[in-house]
Amino acid sequence: MVRPEWRISEGLVPYEEALATMEARVADIRAGRARELVWLLEHPPLYTAGTSARAQDLLEPMRFPVHVAGRGGQYTYHGPGQRVAYVMLDLRRRHQDVRRFVADLEDWTIRTLAKFNVRAERREGRVGVWVARPGREDKIAAIGVRIRHWVSFHGISINLEPDLGHYAGIVPCGISQHGVTSLVDLGLPVTMTDLDMALAETFDEVFGAEAIRSVA
C-alpha cells in the first residue's frame, strides 16, 4: 500500500479553506489521482455543527463564526492551541467498516496521549476521548468523521493548550455534565511539535502505513 502523505500546515487555516481542500482531495483519492492524506493544522476560533447538532446547544451564537461541517456529531470548538488532524483514507483498501474506523481514530488518539503518560479512555455512549480526574471526567479529544464513497475526511482534534473558556459558547458534543481539558491543563508542558511527533509515531501502529511528512 502506498503510504499516506503527512502534511503539517503552519499558522491558522481558515475553516472554509480546509473544507475545500478536503473535498478536492477526497475526490482525487477516490479517482486514483492522489494518495491518502493526514493533514495536521490549527484553526482560528470557531464552532462547527455536525449532522446531529441541536440548536439549543449553541449557547452563544455570536461569539465565534459557526460552520456547518457535514461530519458526524454535534457542536464542537476549534481554535489555536488545538491540534486538528484531518484524515483522508481510502477505506476501500483498508476496512469498509465505519465503526472500526472511528474506533481506530480513538485508538490512535489514546496511544498518542499515552506518549505523555496520559491515560485517556473511551466511554460508552460518549463520542471522543476522556480523562478521569478527581471527582469528574473531562474530554481531551473530539472525533467527527464523514465517509464519502468509502473515503474518509474530517477526523480528530486534541486539546494541547486552547483557551478552554471558549467552550462556554456551546454544549460540547451535546454533553453538559462533563468538562473539557487539555494537556497543558493537566500540567504537561507539551509543545505542538511534541504532539505531532507522537501522532506520527503512533499512526502506523493503528493504520498500518508509515506517514510521509511534508510541510505546507
Side-chain angles (χ1 to χ4, degrees):
M1 182 179 293
V2 178
R3 294 171 177 174
E5 177 186 352
W6 187 270
R7 181 185 302 174
I8 302 174
S9 288
E10 306 294 340
L12 302 179
V13 179
Y15 195 73
E16 299 92 335
E17 177 183 326
L19 280 181
T21 299
M22 284 193 287
E23 291 275 356
R25 187 60 170 248
V26 165
D28 286 343
I29 292 170
R30 180 174 181 245
R33 294 188 296 266
R35 71 181 195 266
E36 299 170 311
L37 172 65
V38 178
W39 184 16
L40 307 184
L41 53 83
E42 293 174 87
H43 285 305
L46 57 92
Y47 297 130
T48 65
T51 54
S52 301
R54 301 175 300 185
Q56 63 267 30
D57 289 341
L58 181 59
L59 305 178
E60 298 181 28
M62 303 304 294
R63 185 167 186 167
F64 296 124
V66 180
H67 298 270
V68 177
R71 55 156 176 80
Q74 301 186 43
Y75 281 104
T76 193
Y77 166 76
H78 292 313
Q82 180 191 76
R83 177 51 91 206
V84 175
Y86 288 135
V87 183
M88 287 150 270
L89 299 183
D90 188 347
L91 302 185
R92 297 170 299 179
R93 304 169 62 204
R94 296 172 177 272
H95 302 280
Q96 291 185 231
D97 185 332
V98 175
R99 289 188 178 183
R100 174 168 179 166
F101 177 60
V102 172
D104 284 346
L105 290 174
E106 291 173 338
D107 190 22
W108 182 33
T109 305
I110 289 167
R111 288 170 182 257
T112 296
L113 294 170
K115 294 287 186 180
F116 308 106
N117 297 314
V118 173
R119 182 179 177 181
E121 301 171 316
R122 298 177 177 89
R123 286 293 179 265
E124 187 69 28
R126 286 190 244 148
V127 179
V129 175
W130 300 79
V131 175
R133 308 181 74 180
R136 71 181 199 269
E137 291 182 338
D138 289 341
K139 192 172 190 175
I140 193 168
I143 295 174
V145 300
R146 185 173 182 180
I147 310 294
R148 180 180 294 156
H149 302 295
W150 291 109
V151 180
S152 70
F153 54 126
H154 298 278
I156 67 174
S157 58
I158 300 175
N159 288 343
L160 188 147
E161 192 180 10
D163 186 337
L164 297 179
H166 290 170
Y167 282 91
I170 57 172
V171 178
C173 300
I175 301 171
S176 59
Q177 63 269 39
H178 299 283
V180 290
T181 190
S182 68
L183 286 164
V184 171
D185 184 53
L186 293 172
L188 300 168
V190 178
T191 69
M192 197 65 78
T193 299
D194 295 333
L195 182 55
D196 290 347
M197 290 177 62
L199 284 163
E201 289 170 5
T202 55
F203 180 85
D204 193 42
E205 297 173 11
V206 178
F207 293 101
E210 182 180 350
I212 300 173
R213 182 181 184 276
S214 67
V215 178

